[in-house]
Amino acid sequence: MSDETGRFVVEGAPGCEGWVLFARREGYAGRYGDPIDVKPGEETSGVELRLVKGCTVRGRVIGEDGQGLADHHVSVSGRSELRGVADWRVMTDAQGAFEMTSLPAEELTLSVFRQGGKTSRVKLSDLEVGEVREGIVVAFESGVDVTGTLSDPGGKPLKRTSLQGKYRDRRAPHSVYATTDAKGAFRFKGVPPGQLQLYVFDAGKYVKVSEVIEAPSSGHRLTFAKATLTKIEGTVVGPDGEPIPGCHVVARTNDGKHAFAGRRGRVSNGVFTVEIEGEPPFWITASKPTGRDGRPLNLRFASVKVDDPSTAVT
């Protein structure tokens, strides 16, 4: 945070080329500074970030019947990088109204999106510094629904399972998504009309589960056999036997299947759990990015073969 005079200090920054700072204050348009080079152990001074008054945009999202649409995502994009330095994404209230502040004075595009539906856009031109622009109306087509149930071959509902619908018409959104409830029921809500191919997310990938279906439609009874997964647990350690944080861990089979531990392979404390489809043997690979003082990162790898996944892996 800057002090009352606007001065700021960033301490402990590692030396490297191309550091970029950004500043933001309520009521002002956020700003990224020019890239600066920071040398290890040296002090860099005289960096200045100039902010100008931001613009405010107020409007309303309506459906085909002219009524306001609540809980719709409204985002803004423009020539500048807005993410993190402006109110670039908000939700409409119960009446469909929204307000976005701290925007730069440039040509902007408002986009309205609802999960499972199409996106509507409105361009804003000739914004002036500090301007408050009101009365913007974004029309949004409500769309149609596709409903059904998902169960395993034995008839047991598959709950909390992700579904993807892919459109055959390229003019429609590429994909829409839904999740089954506790009874295996799903609803693609407010999606554009058209022909959909449905897929189930299983074992780290989407697998086809239906032939082409029409939107709107209802009462689909889908059956899907989930893959059998093997759980492998272990720890990544260094030469001293201590866990190594910040590693990436991935499991592979001889026939090319793979699965990541944690969030896309990231293991924060060295302890990992990975679930993978296939038969032993499995190969567990851990990688650790290294580098300092602005030098390029190198990857150090360690691999181990797992024949018995019931035992802990180190």
Side-chain angles (χ1 to χ4, degrees):
M1 294 285 288
S2 59
D3 61 20
E4 62 276 5
T5 67
R7 296 181 180 275
F8 65 88
V9 177
V10 179
E11 296 181 327
C16 72
E17 298 179 356
W19 266 96
V20 176
L21 302 176
F22 72 84
R24 182 185 180 187
R25 181 181 177 182
E26 185 177 354
Y28 289 79
R31 165 97 187 256
Y32 282 93
D34 296 327
I36 56 176
D37 296 338
V38 177
K39 296 182 179 180
E42 295 186 5
E43 180 177 306
T44 301
S45 59
V47 179
E48 188 176 79
L49 297 172
R50 291 183 176 269
L51 300 183
V52 297
K53 284 286 187 180
C55 302
T56 298
V57 171
R58 300 188 183 109
R60 193 162 175 258
V61 179
I62 62 173
E64 294 175 327
D65 57 1
Q67 299 298 310
L69 298 177
D71 301 326
H72 278 56
H73 294 285
V74 183
S75 61
V76 64
S77 59
R79 184 177 66 254
S80 304
E81 171 57 60
L82 304 180
R83 189 170 303 199
V85 296
D87 293 331
W88 69 278
R89 187 177 185 183
V90 297
M91 291 283 285
T92 58
D93 64 16
Q95 288 73 44
F98 65 88
E99 178 182 272
M100 311 182 87
T101 62
S102 306
L103 301 176
E106 61 184 61
E107 182 175 288
L108 302 174
T109 300
L110 290 180
S111 300
V112 182
F113 174 78
R114 185 175 187 178
Q115 183 66 37
K118 63 181 293 187
T119 301
S120 294
R121 295 181 175 87
V122 172
K123 286 192 176 294
L124 304 177
S125 302
D126 304 322
L127 283 170
E128 298 182 358
V129 173
E131 178 183 350
V132 177
R133 186 168 296 189
E134 300 181 295
I136 298 167
V137 176
V138 183
F140 191 92
E141 296 180 4
S142 298
V144 298
D145 292 357
V146 175
T147 63
T149 58
L150 180 68
S151 60
D152 66 16
K156 182 180 179 180
L158 295 178
K159 57 184 179 180
R160 292 186 289 278
T161 301
S162 296
L163 288 155
Q164 178 190 48
K166 289 186 177 182
Y167 279 89
R168 303 189 73 185
D169 186 350
R170 294 187 177 182
R171 294 171 296 179
H174 179 65
S175 299
V176 292
Y177 299 89
T179 302
T180 59
D181 62 16
K183 296 181 179 180
F186 64 86
R187 178 185 295 271
F188 290 91
K189 186 176 181 179
V191 303
Q195 293 184 321
L196 283 171
Q197 188 94 58
L198 298 188
Y199 296 78
V200 171
F201 188 75
D202 183 50
K205 60 183 181 295
Y206 280 100
V207 182
K208 180 180 173 182
V209 72
S210 78
E211 299 303 323
V212 174
I213 63 175
E214 293 288 337
S217 59
S218 61
H220 298 284
R221 297 181 180 272
L222 306 180
T223 302
F224 182 76
K226 285 200 166 188
T228 301
L229 301 180
T230 299
K231 179 185 288 188
I232 304 173
E233 298 176 323
T235 308
V236 183
V237 300
D240 57 0
E242 294 296 317
I244 301 177
C247 291
H248 289 77
V249 177
V250 61
R252 291 183 172 85
T253 63
N254 285 336
D255 59 357
K257 295 184 177 67
H258 69 277
F260 296 99
R263 185 177 178 85
R264 294 297 295 174
R266 183 82 177 193
V267 178
S268 59
N269 58 1
V271 180
F272 67 86
T273 299
V274 59
E275 293 184 323
I276 186 169
E277 178 185 5
E279 300 294 331
F282 303 104
W283 294 90
I284 308 296
T285 301
S287 61
K288 172 71 176 179
T290 61
R292 59 184 178 180
D293 299 337
R295 293 199 299 268
L297 295 179
N298 296 312
L299 286 177
R300 293 184 177 180
F301 292 90
S303 295
V304 62
K305 183 181 180 182
V306 179
D307 292 305
D308 182 6
S310 64
T311 59
V313 178
T314 300

